[in-house]
Amino acid sequence: MIRLMPDQYPVIQHVIDEDVHFPSVSMLYQRREGAIWVDRLSQPTTVVAVFPKDLFVWGNLGCLGVKELLAGARLLVADAPGLEPLLADAWGTFAKLPSIEYHLAGNGDGPSVLPDGFRLEMVRPDHWPMLCEYRPSYRSQGRIGDFRDYSDFFQNGYGALVIEEVPNKVVSACMAHSVSQARADHSLRTLAGYEGQGFGYAVSYATVQEGVRRGRRPIWITEIDNHGSRRIAERMGFQPRREYVCFDPT
């Protein structure tokens, strides 16, 4: 496998244009960042894109060097024949996470009304202390999703929050955690004890519509058995596009 230099990234343009729906891959490509490996420089048939938290694999997995790249992965998104024996050799044991990808096809139910004592706001830098309390990993990891750092997120990313007015804390948030020139992928979390009150739908709808306003094509990716997330997606007007499996080493 050959690691591309930034000025060589255009050799995988055909993958970006035709096969990759994941905004994180497009973001990596557009910024000439991260690490992208190919089997050859002329019309490569294998591409491995290395992210801070996962890998994306496209094409022929039998190429020399792919196994070594897989060995250090924490999560793999791939849909290719012969993958599982290769992972068994590289990882030993792993979990399979069947997932589904949705694409926006309509306006859905529209915005929802929140209960008294809660308000919806789009994410701003001054929300940062509350966000760190809501999700402590934001404080420790120094990044949101696939953005370089927090300043990058606040400049190029977006999201929505539901805030409980007393004691003034974030109880639900949806972030466009990976945004390319064309697409946006999302993460959603509602604190335990606040489920079932419409907060997840409210922040998701606001975030998706902000992406539409910015000219992004929203996608929604979730595990097949995450029925709550799927209901929110379908209520917003998303329709299933394809299924695949994520692999997680154990």
Side-chain angles (χ1 to χ4, degrees), residues 1-2 37-40 45-50 55-73 76 78 80-83 86-87 89-91:
M1 296 291 287
I2 304 166
W37 301 77
V38 298
D39 59 334
R40 60 192 187 198
T45 61
T46 303
V47 177
V48 179
V50 183
L55 265 73
F56 177 87
V57 175
W58 176 89
N60 174 21
L61 299 177
C63 290
L64 291 176
V66 171
K67 176 183 171 182
E68 288 73 18
L69 292 173
L70 294 179
L76 172 66
L83 177 62
L86 184 64
L87 290 180
D89 194 21
W91 289 351

Side-chain angles (χ1 to χ4, degrees), residues 108-145:
D109 289 349
S112 56
V113 178
L114 298 179
D116 291 341
F118 297 88
R119 68 181 187 273
L120 176 74
E121 295 185 1
M122 301 307 293
V123 177
R124 304 188 307 266
D126 60 278
H127 288 128
W128 189 241
M130 285 192 294
L131 281 169
C132 289
E133 291 300 320
Y134 152 83
R135 178 163 274 178
S137 63
Y138 286 162
R139 185 188 304 113
S140 61
Q141 292 178 356
R143 63 186 302 126
I144 294 177

